[in-house]
Amino acid sequence: MGNKIFYKSSVEKDLRKIDVNYRKKIMDIIENTLSKGIVGKKLKGEYKGLFSYRTGDYRILYSKINDGILILRIAHRKEVYK
């Protein structure tokens, strides 16, 4: 069994900005890949302690918490770190 996935409330707003077909792909990645453990890139600098997973031009920012994984942001690569 994988990690439990939690979402920050603002992630719903992030998802509404993404095309429906790509949104489904992102959700599949979260449920099938991220839930199995830490994948992607460990971030540095002001984002130290967070992780980023790349899917096409989009990034999923998340952190590891005691109960599982907390999804913090899903956005286009040009906007995600702003």
Side-chain angles (χ1 to χ4, degrees):
M1 184 166 158
N3 294 312
K4 188 163 182 174
I5 303 291
F6 299 93
Y7 296 90
K8 188 175 173 187
S9 59
S10 61
V11 171
E12 184 178 339
K13 184 178 177 184
D14 291 341
L15 286 171
R16 278 189 252 136
K17 296 177 184 178
I18 300 171
D19 177 63
V20 175
N21 294 325
Y22 210 78
R23 186 182 321 158
K24 182 176 178 358
K25 181 179 177 182
I26 290 171
M27 294 307 295
D28 286 343
I29 288 170
I30 290 171
E31 298 300 323
N32 297 321
T33 305
L34 294 182
S35 66
K36 293 181 179 155
I38 301 295
V39 293
K41 182 171 73 171
K42 195 172 193 176
L43 299 177
K44 301 176 184 178
E46 72 179 275
Y47 298 102
K48 186 176 181 178
L50 301 180
F51 297 87
S52 174
Y53 185 78
R54 183 181 118 202
T55 174
D57 285 340
Y58 289 88
R59 304 293 184 267
I60 302 168
L61 291 184
Y62 66 96
S63 66
K64 177 78 172 129
I65 58 174
N66 292 336
D67 298 335
I69 291 178
L70 174 64
I71 306 295
L72 301 169
R73 183 108 200 263
I74 301 171
H76 192 274
R77 63 186 178 90
K78 291 180 180 181
E79 300 171 0
V80 74
Y81 301 109
K82 291 182 181 180

Coordinates of all heavy atoms in Angstrom, one line a residue:
M1 N 0.8 -1.2 0.0 CA 0.0 0.0 0.0 C 0.9 1.2 0.0 O 1.9 1.3 0.7 CB -0.9 0.0 1.2 CG -1.9 1.1 1.2 SD -3.1 0.8 2.5 CE -3.6 2.5 2.7
G2 N 0.5 2.3 -0.7 CA 1.2 3.5 -0.8 C 0.9 4.5 0.2 O 0.2 4.3 1.2
N3 N 1.5 5.6 0.1 CA 1.3 6.8 1.0 C -0.1 7.4 0.7 O -0.6 7.4 -0.4 CB 2.4 7.9 0.7 CG 3.7 7.4 1.1 OD1 3.9 6.9 2.2 ND2 4.7 7.6 0.2
K4 N -0.6 7.9 1.8 CA -1.9 8.7 1.6 C -1.6 10.0 1.0 O -0.6 10.7 1.4 CB -2.6 8.8 3.0 CG -4.0 9.4 2.9 CD -4.8 9.1 4.1 CE -6.1 9.7 3.8 NZ -7.1 9.5 4.8
I5 N -2.4 10.5 0.1 CA -2.2 11.8 -0.6 C -3.1 12.8 0.0 O -4.4 12.6 0.1 CB -2.5 11.6 -2.1 CG1 -1.6 10.6 -2.7 CG2 -2.3 13.0 -2.8 CD1 -0.2 10.9 -2.8
F6 N -2.6 13.9 0.4 CA -3.3 15.1 0.9 C -3.1 16.3 0.0 O -2.0 16.3 -0.7 CB -2.9 15.5 2.3 CG -3.1 14.4 3.3 CD1 -2.0 13.5 3.6 CD2 -4.3 14.2 4.0 CE1 -2.2 12.5 4.6 CE2 -4.4 13.2 4.9 CZ -3.4 12.4 5.2
Y7 N -4.1 17.1 -0.2 CA -4.0 18.3 -1.1 C -4.2 19.6 -0.3 O -5.1 19.7 0.5 CB -5.1 18.2 -2.2 CG -4.9 17.0 -3.1 CD1 -5.5 15.8 -2.8 CD2 -4.1 17.1 -4.2 CE1 -5.4 14.7 -3.6 CE2 -4.0 16.0 -5.1 CZ -4.6 14.8 -4.7 OH -4.5 13.7 -5.6
K8 N -3.4 20.5 -0.6 CA -3.6 21.9 -0.1 C -4.8 22.4 -0.8 O -5.1 22.1 -1.9 CB -2.3 22.8 -0.4 CG -2.4 24.1 0.2 CD -1.1 24.8 0.0 CE -1.2 26.3 0.5 NZ -0.1 27.1 0.1
S9 N -5.6 23.2 -0.1 CA -6.9 23.7 -0.7 C -6.7 24.5 -2.0 O -7.5 24.5 -2.9 CB -7.6 24.6 0.3 OG -6.8 25.7 0.7
S10 N -5.5 25.1 -2.2 CA -5.3 25.9 -3.4 C -5.0 25.0 -4.6 O -5.1 25.5 -5.7 CB -4.1 26.9 -3.2 OG -3.0 26.2 -2.9
V11 N -4.8 23.8 -4.4 CA -4.5 22.9 -5.6 C -5.7 22.8 -6.5 O -5.6 22.7 -7.7 CB -4.0 21.5 -5.1 CG1 -3.9 20.5 -6.2 CG2 -2.7 21.6 -4.4
E12 N -6.9 22.8 -5.9 CA -8.1 22.7 -6.7 C -8.2 23.9 -7.7 O -8.5 23.7 -8.9 CB -9.4 22.8 -5.8 CG -10.7 22.6 -6.6 CD -11.9 22.6 -5.7 OE1 -11.7 22.4 -4.5 OE2 -13.0 22.9 -6.2
K13 N -7.8 25.1 -7.3 CA -7.7 26.3 -8.2 C -6.7 26.1 -9.2 O -6.9 26.4 -10.4 CB -7.4 27.5 -7.3 CG -7.4 28.8 -8.1 CD -7.1 30.0 -7.2 CE -7.1 31.2 -8.0 NZ -6.7 32.4 -7.1
D14 N -5.5 25.5 -8.9 CA -4.5 25.2 -9.8 C -5.0 24.3 -10.9 O -4.7 24.4 -12.1 CB -3.2 24.6 -9.2 CG -2.5 25.5 -8.3 OD1 -2.6 26.7 -8.4 OD2 -1.7 25.0 -7.4
L15 N -5.7 23.2 -10.5 CA -6.2 22.2 -11.5 C -7.2 22.8 -12.4 O -7.3 22.4 -13.6 CB -6.8 21.0 -10.7 CG -5.7 20.1 -10.1 CD1 -6.4 19.1 -9.2 CD2 -4.9 19.4 -11.1
R16 N -8.0 23.7 -12.0 CA -9.0 24.3 -12.9 C -8.4 25.1 -14.1 O -9.0 25.3 -15.1 CB -9.9 25.3 -12.1 CG -11.0 24.6 -11.4 CD -12.0 25.5 -10.8 NE -11.8 25.5 -9.4 CZ -11.8 26.6 -8.6 NH1 -12.0 27.8 -9.1 NH2 -11.6 26.5 -7.3
K17 N -7.1 25.5 -13.9 CA -6.4 26.2 -15.0 C -5.8 25.3 -16.0 O -5.4 25.8 -17.1 CB -5.3 27.1 -14.4 CG -5.7 28.2 -13.4 CD -4.6 28.9 -12.9 CE -5.0 29.9 -11.8 NZ -3.8 30.6 -11.2
I18 N -5.8 24.0 -15.8 CA -5.2 23.0 -16.7 C -6.3 22.4 -17.5 O -7.4 22.1 -17.1 CB -4.4 22.0 -15.8 CG1 -3.4 22.7 -15.0 CG2 -3.8 20.9 -16.7 CD1 -2.7 21.8 -14.0
D19 N -5.9 22.1 -18.8 CA -6.8 21.4 -19.7 C -7.3 20.1 -19.1 O -6.6 19.4 -18.4 CB -6.0 21.1 -21.0 CG -6.9 20.3 -22.0 OD1 -7.9 20.8 -22.4 OD2 -6.5 19.1 -22.3
V20 N -8.6 19.7 -19.3 CA -9.2 18.6 -18.7 C -8.5 17.3 -19.0 O -8.3 16.5 -18.1 CB -10.7 18.5 -19.2 CG1 -11.3 17.2 -18.7 CG2 -11.5 19.7 -18.8
N21 N -8.1 17.1 -20.2 CA -7.4 15.8 -20.5 C -6.0 15.7 -19.8 O -5.6 14.7 -19.3 CB -7.1 15.7 -22.0 CG -8.4 15.6 -22.8 OD1 -9.4 15.0 -22.3 ND2 -8.5 16.2 -24.0
Y22 N -5.3 16.8 -19.7 CA -4.0 16.8 -19.1 C -4.2 16.7 -17.5 O -3.4 16.1 -16.8 CB -3.2 18.0 -19.4 CG -1.7 17.8 -19.4 CD1 -1.1 17.1 -20.4 CD2 -1.0 18.1 -18.3 CE1 0.2 16.8 -20.4 CE2 0.4 17.8 -18.2 CZ 1.0 17.2 -19.3 OH 2.3 16.8 -19.2
R23 N -5.3 17.3 -17.0 CA -5.6 17.2 -15.6 C -5.8 15.8 -15.2 O -5.3 15.4 -14.1 CB -6.9 18.0 -15.4 CG -7.3 18.1 -13.9 CD -8.6 18.9 -13.7 NE -8.7 20.0 -14.6 CZ -9.9 20.5 -15.0 NH1 -11.0 20.1 -14.4 NH2 -10.0 21.6 -15.8
K24 N -6.4 15.0 -16.0 CA -6.6 13.6 -15.7 C -5.3 12.8 -15.7 O -5.1 12.0 -14.8 CB -7.6 12.9 -16.7 CG -7.9 11.5 -16.5 CD -8.8 10.9 -17.5 CE -9.2 9.5 -17.4 NZ -8.6 8.7 -16.4
K25 N -4.4 13.1 -16.6 CA -3.1 12.5 -16.6 C -2.3 12.9 -15.3 O -1.7 12.0 -14.8 CB -2.3 13.0 -17.9 CG -1.0 12.4 -18.0 CD -0.3 12.9 -19.2 CE 1.1 12.4 -19.3 NZ 1.9 12.8 -20.5
I26 N -2.4 14.1 -14.9 CA -1.7 14.6 -13.7 C -2.2 13.8 -12.5 O -1.5 13.3 -11.6 CB -1.8 16.1 -13.5 CG1 -0.9 16.8 -14.6 CG2 -1.4 16.5 -12.1 CD1 -1.1 18.3 -14.7
M27 N -3.6 13.7 -12.4 CA -4.2 13.0 -11.3 C -3.8 11.5 -11.2 O -3.5 10.9 -10.2 CB -5.7 13.2 -11.3 CG -6.1 14.6 -11.1 SD -5.4 15.4 -9.6 CE -6.2 14.4 -8.3
D28 N -3.7 10.9 -12.4 CA -3.2 9.5 -12.5 C -1.8 9.4 -12.0 O -1.5 8.4 -11.3 CB -3.3 9.0 -13.9 CG -4.7 8.7 -14.4 OD1 -5.6 8.6 -13.5 OD2 -4.9 8.6 -15.6
I29 N -0.9 10.3 -12.4 CA 0.5 10.3 -11.9 C 0.5 10.4 -10.4 O 1.3 9.7 -9.7 CB 1.3 11.4 -12.6 CG1 1.5 11.1 -14.0 CG2 2.6 11.7 -11.9 CD1 2.1 12.2 -14.9
I30 N -0.3 11.3 -9.8 CA -0.3 11.5 -8.4 C -0.7 10.2 -7.7 O -0.1 9.7 -6.8 CB -1.2 12.7 -8.0 CG1 -0.5 14.0 -8.4 CG2 -1.4 12.7 -6.5 CD1 -1.4 15.2 -8.3
E31 N -1.8 9.6 -8.1 CA -2.4 8.5 -7.5 C -1.5 7.2 -7.7 O -1.4 6.4 -6.8 CB -3.8 8.2 -8.0 CG -4.8 9.3 -7.7 CD -4.9 9.5 -6.2 OE1 -4.9 8.6 -5.4 OE2 -5.1 10.7 -5.8
N32 N -0.9 7.1 -8.9 CA -0.1 5.8 -9.2 C 1.4 5.9 -9.0 O 2.0 4.9 -8.8 CB -0.4 5.4 -10.6 CG -1.9 5.1 -10.9 OD1 -2.5 4.5 -10.0 ND2 -2.4 5.5 -12.0
T33 N 1.9 7.1 -9.0 CA 3.4 7.2 -8.9 C 3.8 7.9 -7.6 O 4.6 7.3 -6.8 CB 4.0 8.1 -10.1 OG1 3.6 7.5 -11.3 CG2 5.5 8.1 -10.0
L34 N 3.2 9.0 -7.3 CA 3.6 9.7 -6.1 C 3.2 9.0 -4.8 O 3.8 9.0 -3.8 CB 3.1 11.2 -6.0 CG 3.7 12.1 -7.1 CD1 3.1 13.5 -6.9 CD2 5.2 12.2 -7.0
S35 N 2.1 8.3 -4.9 CA 1.6 7.6 -3.7 C 2.5 6.4 -3.3 O 2.5 5.9 -2.2 CB 0.2 7.1 -4.0 OG 0.2 6.1 -5.0
K36 N 3.3 6.0 -4.2 CA 4.2 4.9 -4.0 C 5.5 5.3 -3.3 O 6.3 4.5 -2.8 CB 4.6 4.1 -5.2 CG 3.4 3.4 -5.8 CD 3.7 2.7 -7.0 CE 2.4 2.0 -7.5 NZ 2.4 1.7 -8.9
G37 N 5.8 6.6 -3.2 CA 7.0 7.1 -2.5 C 7.5 8.3 -3.1 O 6.9 8.9 -4.0
I38 N 8.6 8.8 -2.6 CA 9.3 10.0 -3.1 C 9.9 9.8 -4.4 O 10.7 8.9 -4.6 CB 10.4 10.4 -2.1 CG1 9.8 10.7 -0.7 CG2 11.1 11.7 -2.6 CD1 8.8 11.8 -0.6
V39 N 9.5 10.5 -5.4 CA 10.0 10.5 -6.7 C 10.2 12.0 -7.1 O 9.7 12.9 -6.6 CB 9.1 9.8 -7.8 CG1 9.0 8.3 -7.5 CG2 7.7 10.4 -7.8
G40 N 11.0 12.2 -8.2 CA 11.2 13.6 -8.6 C 12.5 14.1 -8.1 O 13.4 13.4 -7.6
K41 N 12.5 15.5 -8.0 CA 13.8 16.2 -7.7 C 13.6 16.9 -6.3 O 12.6 17.5 -6.0 CB 14.0 17.3 -8.7 CG 15.2 18.1 -8.6 CD 15.5 18.9 -9.8 CE 14.6 20.1 -9.9 NZ 14.9 21.1 -10.9
K42 N 14.6 16.7 -5.5 CA 14.6 17.4 -4.2 C 15.0 18.9 -4.5 O 16.1 19.1 -5.1 CB 15.6 16.8 -3.3 CG 15.5 17.1 -1.9 CD 16.4 16.3 -1.0 CE 16.1 16.4 0.4 NZ 16.9 15.6 1.3
L43 N 14.3 19.8 -4.0 CA 14.5 21.2 -4.3 C 15.5 21.8 -3.3 O 15.7 21.3 -2.2 CB 13.2 22.0 -4.3 CG 12.2 21.5 -5.3 CD1 10.9 22.3 -5.2 CD2 12.7 21.7 -6.7
K44 N 16.1 22.9 -3.7 CA 17.1 23.7 -2.9 C 16.7 25.1 -2.7 O 15.6 25.5 -3.2 CB 18.4 23.7 -3.6 CG 19.0 22.3 -3.9 CD 20.2 22.4 -4.8 CE 20.7 21.0 -5.2 NZ 21.9 21.1 -6.0
G45 N 17.4 25.8 -2.0 CA 17.2 27.3 -1.7 C 16.0 27.5 -0.9 O 15.7 26.8 0.1
E46 N 15.1 28.4 -1.3 CA 13.9 28.8 -0.5 C 12.9 27.6 -0.5 O 12.0 27.6 0.3 CB 13.3 30.1 -1.0 CG 12.6 30.0 -2.3 CD 12.0 31.3 -2.7 OE1 10.8 31.6 -2.3 OE2 12.6 32.1 -3.4
Y47 N 13.1 26.7 -1.4 CA 12.1 25.5 -1.5 C 12.7 24.3 -0.8 O 12.3 23.2 -1.1 CB 11.7 25.3 -2.9 CG 11.0 26.4 -3.5 CD1 11.6 27.3 -4.4 CD2 9.7 26.7 -3.2 CE1 10.9 28.4 -4.9 CE2 9.0 27.7 -3.7 CZ 9.6 28.6 -4.6 OH 8.9 29.6 -5.2
K48 N 13.8 24.4 -0.1 CA 14.5 23.3 0.6 C 13.5 22.5 1.4 O 12.6 23.1 2.1 CB 15.6 23.8 1.5 CG 16.4 22.7 2.0 CD 17.6 23.2 2.8 CE 18.4 22.1 3.4 NZ 19.6 22.6 4.1
G49 N 13.5 21.2 1.3 CA 12.6 20.3 2.0 C 11.4 19.9 1.2 O 10.7 19.0 1.5
L50 N 11.2 20.5 0.0 CA 10.1 20.2 -0.9 C 10.7 19.3 -2.1 O 11.9 19.3 -2.3 CB 9.5 21.4 -1.4 CG 8.9 22.4 -0.4 CD1 8.2 23.6 -1.1 CD2 7.8 21.7 0.4
F51 N 9.7 18.7 -2.8 CA 10.1 17.9 -3.9 C 9.3 18.4 -5.1 O 8.2 18.9 -5.0 CB 9.8 16.4 -3.7 CG 10.6 15.8 -2.6 CD1 10.1 15.9 -1.3 CD2 11.8 15.2 -2.8 CE1 10.8 15.4 -0.2 CE2 12.5 14.7 -1.8 CZ 12.0 14.8 -0.5
S52 N 9.8 18.2 -6.3 CA 9.2 18.5 -7.6 C 9.2 17.3 -8.5 O 10.2 16.7 -8.7 CB 9.9 19.7 -8.2 OG 9.3 20.0 -9.5
Y53 N 8.0 17.0 -9.0 CA 7.9 16.0 -10.0 C 7.4 16.6 -11.3 O 6.5 17.3 -11.4 CB 6.9 14.9 -9.6 CG 6.8 13.7 -10.5 CD1 7.8 12.7 -10.4 CD2 5.8 13.6 -11.5 CE1 7.8 11.7 -11.3 CE2 5.8 12.5 -12.3 CZ 6.8 11.6 -12.2 OH 6.8 10.5 -13.1
R54 N 8.2 16.3 -12.4 CA 7.9 16.9 -13.7 C 7.0 15.9 -14.6 O 7.3 14.8 -14.7 CB 9.2 17.1 -14.4 CG 9.1 17.7 -15.8 CD 10.4 17.9 -16.4 NE 10.4 17.1 -17.7 CZ 11.4 16.7 -18.3 NH1 12.6 16.9 -17.8 NH2 11.2 16.0 -19.4
T55 N 6.0 16.5 -15.2 CA 5.2 15.8 -16.1 C 4.9 16.8 -17.3 O 4.1 17.7 -17.2 CB 3.9 15.3 -15.5 OG1 3.1 14.8 -16.5 CG2 3.1 16.3 -14.7
G56 N 5.7 16.6 -18.3 CA 5.6 17.5 -19.5 C 6.0 18.9 -19.1 O 7.1 19.1 -18.5
D57 N 5.2 19.9 -19.4 CA 5.5 21.3 -19.0 C 4.9 21.7 -17.6 O 5.0 22.8 -17.2 CB 4.9 22.2 -20.0 CG 5.6 22.3 -21.3 OD1 6.8 21.8 -21.3 OD2 5.1 22.7 -22.4
Y58 N 4.4 20.7 -16.9 CA 3.8 21.0 -15.6 C 4.7 20.4 -14.5 O 5.4 19.4 -14.7 CB 2.4 20.4 -15.5 CG 1.5 21.2 -16.3 CD1 1.2 20.9 -17.6 CD2 0.8 22.3 -15.8 CE1 0.4 21.7 -18.4 CE2 -0.1 23.1 -16.6 CZ -0.3 22.8 -17.9 OH -1.1 23.5 -18.6
R59 N 4.6 21.0 -13.3 CA 5.4 20.6 -12.1 C 4.4 20.3 -11.0 O 3.4 21.1 -10.8 CB 6.4 21.6 -11.7 CG 7.4 22.0 -12.7 CD 8.3 20.8 -13.1 NE 9.4 21.2 -14.1 CZ 9.2 21.1 -15.4 NH1 8.2 20.7 -15.9 NH2 10.2 21.5 -16.2
I60 N 4.6 19.3 -10.3 CA 3.9 19.0 -9.1 C 4.8 19.2 -7.9 O 5.8 18.5 -7.8 CB 3.4 17.5 -9.1 CG1 2.5 17.3 -10.3 CG2 2.6 17.2 -7.8 CD1 2.2 15.8 -10.5
L61 N 4.5 20.2 -7.0 CA 5.3 20.5 -5.9 C 4.7 19.8 -4.7 O 3.5 19.9 -4.5 CB 5.4 22.0 -5.6 CG 6.2 22.8 -6.6 CD1 6.3 24.2 -6.0 CD2 7.6 22.3 -6.8
Y62 N 5.5 19.0 -3.9 CA 4.9 18.3 -2.8 C 5.9 18.2 -1.7 O 7.1 18.5 -1.8 CB 4.4 17.0 -3.2 CG 5.4 16.0 -3.6 CD1 6.0 15.1 -2.8 CD2 5.9 16.0 -5.0 CE1 6.9 14.2 -3.2 CE2 6.9 15.1 -5.4 CZ 7.4 14.2 -4.5 OH 8.3 13.3 -4.9
S63 N 5.4 17.8 -0.5 CA 6.3 17.6 0.6 C 5.9 16.3 1.3 O 4.8 15.8 1.2 CB 6.3 18.7 1.7 OG 5.0 18.8 2.3
K64 N 6.9 15.7 2.0 CA 6.6 14.4 2.7 C 6.2 14.8 4.1 O 6.9 15.6 4.8 CB 7.9 13.6 2.7 CG 7.8 12.3 3.5 CD 7.1 11.3 2.7 CE 7.2 9.9 3.5 NZ 5.9 9.3 3.7
I65 N 5.1 14.3 4.6 CA 4.6 14.5 5.9 C 4.4 13.2 6.6 O 4.5 12.1 6.0 CB 3.3 15.3 5.9 CG1 2.2 14.6 5.1 CG2 3.5 16.7 5.4 CD1 0.8 15.3 5.2
N66 N 4.2 13.2 7.9 CA 4.1 12.0 8.7 C 3.1 11.0 8.2 O 3.3 9.8 8.1 CB 3.8 12.3 10.2 CG 5.0 13.0 10.8 OD1 6.1 12.8 10.4 ND2 4.7 13.7 11.9
D67 N 1.9 11.6 7.8 CA 0.8 10.7 7.3 C 0.9 10.3 5.9 O 0.1 9.5 5.4 CB -0.5 11.4 7.6 CG -0.8 11.7 9.1 OD1 -0.2 11.0 9.9 OD2 -1.5 12.7 9.4
G68 N 1.7 10.9 5.1 CA 1.8 10.6 3.6 C 2.5 11.7 2.9 O 3.5 12.2 3.3
I69 N 1.8 12.2 1.8 CA 2.4 13.2 0.9 C 1.4 14.3 0.8 O 0.2 14.1 0.6 CB 2.7 12.6 -0.5 CG1 3.9 11.6 -0.3 CG2 3.0 13.7 -1.5 CD1 4.3 11.0 -1.6
L70 N 1.9 15.6 0.9 CA 1.0 16.8 0.8 C 1.3 17.5 -0.5 O 2.5 17.9 -0.7 CB 1.3 17.7 2.0 CG 0.5 19.1 1.9 CD1 -1.0 18.9 1.9 CD2 1.0 20.0 3.0
I71 N 0.4 17.5 -1.4 CA 0.5 18.2 -2.7 C 0.3 19.7 -2.4 O -0.8 20.1 -2.0 CB -0.5 17.7 -3.8 CG1 -0.4 16.2 -3.9 CG2 -0.3 18.4 -5.1 CD1 0.9 15.6 -4.5
L72 N 1.3 20.5 -2.8 CA 1.2 21.9 -2.5 C 0.8 22.8 -3.7 O 0.1 23.8 -3.5 CB 2.6 22.4 -2.0 CG 3.1 21.7 -0.7 CD1 4.6 22.1 -0.5 CD2 2.3 22.1 0.5
R73 N 1.3 22.4 -4.8 CA 1.0 23.2 -6.0 C 1.2 22.4 -7.3 O 2.0 21.5 -7.4 CB 2.1 24.3 -6.0 CG 1.9 25.3 -7.2 CD 1.4 26.7 -6.6 NE 0.9 27.4 -7.7 CZ 1.5 28.4 -8.4 NH1 2.7 28.7 -8.0 NH2 0.9 29.1 -9.3
I74 N 0.3 22.6 -8.3 CA 0.4 22.0 -9.6 C 0.3 23.2 -10.6 O -0.7 23.8 -10.6 CB -0.7 21.0 -9.8 CG1 -0.6 19.9 -8.8 CG2 -0.6 20.4 -11.2 CD1 -1.8 18.9 -8.8
A75 N 1.4 23.4 -11.3 CA 1.3 24.6 -12.3 C 2.3 24.4 -13.4 O 3.2 23.5 -13.4 CB 1.6 25.8 -11.5
H76 N 2.1 25.2 -14.4 CA 3.0 25.2 -15.6 C 4.4 25.6 -15.1 O 4.6 26.3 -14.1 CB 2.6 26.2 -16.6 CG 3.3 26.1 -17.9 ND1 4.5 26.7 -18.1 CD2 3.0 25.4 -19.0 CE1 4.9 26.4 -19.4 NE2 4.0 25.6 -19.9
R77 N 5.4 25.0 -15.7 CA 6.8 25.2 -15.3 C 7.2 26.7 -15.1 O 8.1 27.1 -14.4 CB 7.8 24.5 -16.1 CG 7.8 25.0 -17.6 CD 8.7 24.1 -18.4 NE 8.7 24.5 -19.8 CZ 9.6 25.4 -20.3 NH1 10.5 25.9 -19.6 NH2 9.5 25.7 -21.6
K78 N 6.6 27.6 -15.9 CA 7.0 29.0 -15.9 C 6.3 29.7 -14.7 O 6.8 30.8 -14.3 CB 6.5 29.7 -17.2 CG 7.3 29.2 -18.4 CD 6.8 30.0 -19.6 CE 7.6 29.5 -20.9 NZ 7.2 30.2 -22.1
E79 N 5.3 29.1 -14.1 CA 4.6 29.8 -13.0 C 4.7 29.1 -11.7 O 4.4 29.7 -10.7 CB 3.1 29.8 -13.4 CG 2.7 30.5 -14.6 CD 1.3 30.2 -15.0 OE1 0.6 29.5 -14.3 OE2 0.8 30.8 -16.0
V80 N 5.2 27.9 -11.6 CA 5.1 27.1 -10.4 C 6.0 27.7 -9.2 O 5.6 27.6 -8.1 CB 5.5 25.6 -10.7 CG1 7.0 25.4 -10.9 CG2 5.0 24.7 -9.6
Y81 N 7.1 28.3 -9.5 CA 8.0 28.8 -8.5 C 7.8 30.2 -8.1 O 8.5 30.8 -7.3 CB 9.5 28.5 -8.8 CG 9.7 27.1 -9.1 CD1 10.0 26.6 -10.4 CD2 9.7 26.1 -8.1 CE1 10.2 25.2 -10.6 CE2 10.0 24.8 -8.3 CZ 10.2 24.4 -9.6 OH 10.5 23.0 -9.8
K82 N 6.7 30.8 -8.7 CA 6.5 32.3 -8.4 C 5.6 32.4 -7.2 O 4.8 31.6 -6.8 CB 5.8 32.9 -9.6 CG 6.8 33.0 -10.7 CD 6.1 33.7 -11.9 CE 7.1 33.8 -13.1 NZ 6.5 34.5 -14.2

